[in-house]
Amino acid sequence: MNIVKAVTVCMGGLLFGALVLINGQALAADTKIAVIDMQQVMSTSVAGKKAQDSLKQKAESLQASLKKDEEGLVAMQSEAEKKGAAWSDSVKKEKLAAFQKKGQEFEEKKRDAQQQLNKLQEQQVKPVVKKIEEVVAKIAADHGYAVVLNRNIGTVVLYATAEVDISNKVIAELDKVMK
């Protein structure tokens, strides 16, 4: 008698599991999913290009300034290697102190440059990304997408057909709303 109960409970559990699986598959079949290529949107849309160009120009400007300082450090090091043997101990100490001071100033300038770039990114790129998110939400609502995945970051999208890629729709809508 206990075996019959155990088999009945087991069969009931299997039947329940099968029903849940079938319902889950039916639900998944009705779910519309889209993908977006955020890199493409940022590099192709007017607002994205403008933000990236602004960042690029600032980065190049800061890099040019840092390059001059770096060349000065290299020149100081080269001078020490060439003439160091002829210098007195006091001159060596003086040159070493100057080199260390210039090295610290260089590191401070690098940190400051990174902070400037981070601040500029916050000012230029973040508002564009926020607007992209709004545009994606609108397109998803308009077209009935339950999920929109970013094909670049954080998710693993191994394959997506062109029909589910809404990047071009997002770019067109973003260009309209960001004029």
Side-chain angles (χ1 to χ4, degrees), residues 88-123:
S88 67
D89 287 343
S90 63
V91 171
K92 284 181 185 178
K93 283 183 182 179
E94 187 180 304
K95 294 285 186 175
L96 178 60
F99 180 77
Q100 288 174 339
K101 183 178 179 193
K102 194 161 185 108
Q104 288 173 344
E105 289 171 354
F106 177 70
E107 289 301 319
E108 286 177 29
K109 276 188 171 182
K110 278 177 39 179
R111 280 191 296 276
D112 182 51
Q114 187 60 51
Q115 288 174 348
Q116 286 181 42
L117 285 176
N118 290 344
K119 185 177 180 182
L120 186 62
Q121 181 170 7
E122 186 82 19
Q123 293 170 343

Side-chain angles (χ1 to χ4, degrees), residues 1-9:
M1 187 80 168
N2 285 340
I3 295 174
V4 173
K5 268 187 176 179
V7 169
T8 304
V9 170

Side-chain angles (χ1 to χ4, degrees), residues 112-160:
D112 182 51
Q114 187 60 51
Q115 288 174 348
Q116 286 181 42
L117 285 176
N118 290 344
K119 185 177 180 182
L120 186 62
Q121 181 170 7
E122 186 82 19
Q123 293 170 343
Q124 299 287 322
V125 176
K126 208 168 190 181
V128 176
V129 171
K130 180 149 178 57
K131 190 53 86 173
I132 290 170
E133 290 170 355
E134 292 171 10
V135 167
V136 168
K138 181 184 181 311
I139 289 172
D142 291 349
H143 292 86
Y145 295 115
V147 177
V148 178
L149 302 172
N150 182 349
R151 87 169 40 226
N152 306 109
I153 304 168
T155 60
V156 179
V157 178
L158 297 177
Y159 175 76

Side-chain angles (χ1 to χ4, degrees), residues 26-92:
L27 180 62
D30 294 339
T31 303
K32 287 179 73 177
I33 297 174
V35 296
I36 181 172
D37 186 334
M38 284 293 284
Q39 289 177 343
Q40 177 187 355
V41 173
M42 285 300 291
S43 65
T44 308
S45 67
V46 173
K49 281 191 231 179
K50 183 178 176 184
Q52 287 183 333
D53 287 347
S54 176
L55 273 173
K56 184 180 176 184
Q57 287 175 354
K58 183 68 171 178
E60 288 172 353
S61 167
L62 291 170
Q63 198 171 29
S65 174
L66 288 172
K67 186 171 173 84
K68 290 178 185 175
D69 291 342
E70 186 177 26
E71 288 170 352
L73 281 169
V74 169
M76 287 177 82
Q77 184 178 11
S78 178
E79 179 187 23
E81 288 171 359
K82 290 178 184 174
K83 300 177 183 178
W87 290 341
S88 67
D89 287 343
S90 63
V91 171
K92 284 181 185 178

